[in-house]
Amino acid sequence: DDDDDDDVSSDRRSFLQKASTGSAATIMSAAVFLNNPYLASASASAVGEDNAPIILATFARRRVGALPASLTSLPPNKLGIFQRLGEAFLYSNDATRTAGKDIFASFDFPADWLQLDRFLGGIQYVDQRNGDKLYVLKVPLPSGIETLKEVPKAYFGDTIFNPNGELVKNGNDIEEYKVLSSSMLETAEDSPPRRRLKVRYTTITGNNFSVERKGLVDIYEVGGMCYMLMTGSNAVRFDKKGVERDVVEYIADSFRVTKLPSVV
C-alpha cells in the first residue's frame, strides 16, 4: 500500500459536521479550511456561494439501449451463491451518450442481495440481514491531474462521502470517514488503470446508533472519469478476516470496466 503525499487529513468528522448543517457554501468554506484544492476542481456538480465548483461523486448511470444488461447465475462456491451483473454505464450525468467514453462494467455479488433504487438509474445492492452494501459510483479526475495514480487518496474519500453527494443523499447517513490505504493494481495491457482503496466510515442507523464499517473501493479510470465500486461490512467482522471480509474482497476483485466501442 502507498500513502499519497498530501497535507490533508483523511479523517473528516469536523468537515462533515460543518457541511451537513449548511449549504454548499459551508462545504466550500470547510474545503478551504482543510486546504484541499481538489474539492475546488473545475469539473463539478455543485457550486459554492462564490460560484466556486465543488466535486461530488455520483452514481454511475446505466446506459439503456443497444447493449442490454445481463444477469448471470454463477456456480456455487465456498462463499455462497453469486450472480454476475454486466451493464453499460454513461460517462455523462444527463442521460446522453458520449461516443468513446461510455463504458461496460461487470461485478459479482451474493444472489440474495436486494437491489435498491433501480428506477433512479444507479446501482445499489444491500444485504438485508446486516446492512452490507455495494455501490457503483463515478467522479472525474481533479483538474490538473492526468492519471489515476496521481490523485491523492483523500480526494476520493471527500467526493464519495460529501454530505451533498448522492451516496449520502440516498439514505446513507455518514458520521465520519477515513481513507486508510491506497495501491495501484496490475491490469492487462489493454485494460484501463485500476486502483484500490481501503476505507473506514461510520454510518448512523435509523435508531441513531453509530456503526463503524470498513470496505474497499476499486477504481478504474477511462477518459478522465473514475468508475468506482465500493463495498464493505461491519468493521469488527472485516478485521476478523472471516467470510464477511472474504465476500467484500470477492466482490471488489470481480469488478471489471472496459470502454465501449464508439459504434455501440
Side-chain angles (χ1 to χ4, degrees), residues 185-222:
L185 302 181
E186 291 186 6
T187 59
E189 286 187 10
D190 58 346
S191 296
R194 184 179 186 180
R195 186 172 174 179
R196 176 170 292 179
L197 310 178
K198 184 189 294 184
V199 295
R200 183 183 70 220
Y201 53 103
T202 301
T203 59
I204 308 300
T205 69
N207 296 324
N208 208 33
F209 290 112
S210 297
V211 179
E212 186 177 80
R213 295 185 174 276
K214 288 186 178 180
L216 301 175
V217 183
D218 260 44
I219 308 166
Y220 288 89
E221 183 266 318
V222 178

Side-chain angles (χ1 to χ4, degrees), residues 20-21 32 48 65 81 98 101 106 113 119 141 149 158 167 193 233:
S20 63
T21 61
V32 172
I81 300 175
T98 308
K101 288 190 174 182
S106 65
W113 282 27
F119 69 94
L141 289 174
K149 185 177 182 179
D158 291 340
L167 182 73
S233 69

Side-chain angles (χ1 to χ4, degrees), residues 105-127:
S106 65
F107 58 88
D108 302 346
F109 66 97
D112 58 355
W113 282 27
L114 176 69
Q115 186 168 6
L116 301 175
D117 298 332
R118 181 175 174 84
F119 69 94
L120 295 178
I123 294 290
Q124 289 189 76
Y125 280 90
V126 62
D127 184 341

Side-chain angles (χ1 to χ4, degrees), residues 28-189:
M28 179 53 64
S29 297
V32 172
F33 172 76
L34 290 171
N35 192 30
N36 188 342
Y38 303 103
L39 282 180
S41 173
S43 299
S45 54
V47 294
E49 193 173 63
D50 58 355
N51 291 324
I54 305 166
I55 286 187
L56 304 173
T58 63
F59 285 106
R61 296 297 189 269
R62 301 192 308 276
R63 185 181 188 268
V64 180
L67 198 61
S70 63
L71 191 61
T72 305
S73 296
L74 303 176
N77 61 42
K78 65 179 182 179
L79 298 177
I81 300 175
F82 286 75
Q83 293 181 314
R84 176 168 298 156
L85 176 70
E87 192 152 11
F89 291 90
L90 295 167
Y91 175 88
S92 72
N93 285 328
D94 60 5
T96 59
R97 298 182 181 183
T98 308
K101 288 190 174 182
D102 292 344
I103 59 102
F104 185 85
S106 65
F107 58 88
D108 302 346
F109 66 97
D112 58 355
W113 282 27
L114 176 69
Q115 186 168 6
L116 301 175
D117 298 332
R118 181 175 174 84
F119 69 94
L120 295 178
I123 294 290
Q124 289 189 76
Y125 280 90
V126 62
D127 184 341
Q128 298 180 86
R129 294 162 297 192
N130 54 31
D132 292 352
K133 290 183 178 180
L134 71 82
Y135 318 87
V136 179
L137 307 161
K138 66 184 176 71
V139 69
L141 289 174
S143 178
I145 289 183
E146 298 181 353
T147 68
L148 180 61
K149 185 177 182 179
E150 292 178 274
V151 182
K153 64 178 183 286
Y155 169 81
F156 292 110
D158 291 340
T159 58
I160 291 171
F161 296 110
N162 190 302
N164 270 20
E166 291 192 350
L167 182 73
V168 175
K169 284 192 170 183
N170 278 269
N172 300 282
D173 193 359
I174 307 296
E175 184 179 46
E176 63 177 354
Y177 64 91
K178 185 175 184 179
V179 180
L180 300 173
S181 64
S182 168
S183 60
M184 295 296 296
L185 302 181
E186 291 186 6
T187 59
E189 286 187 10

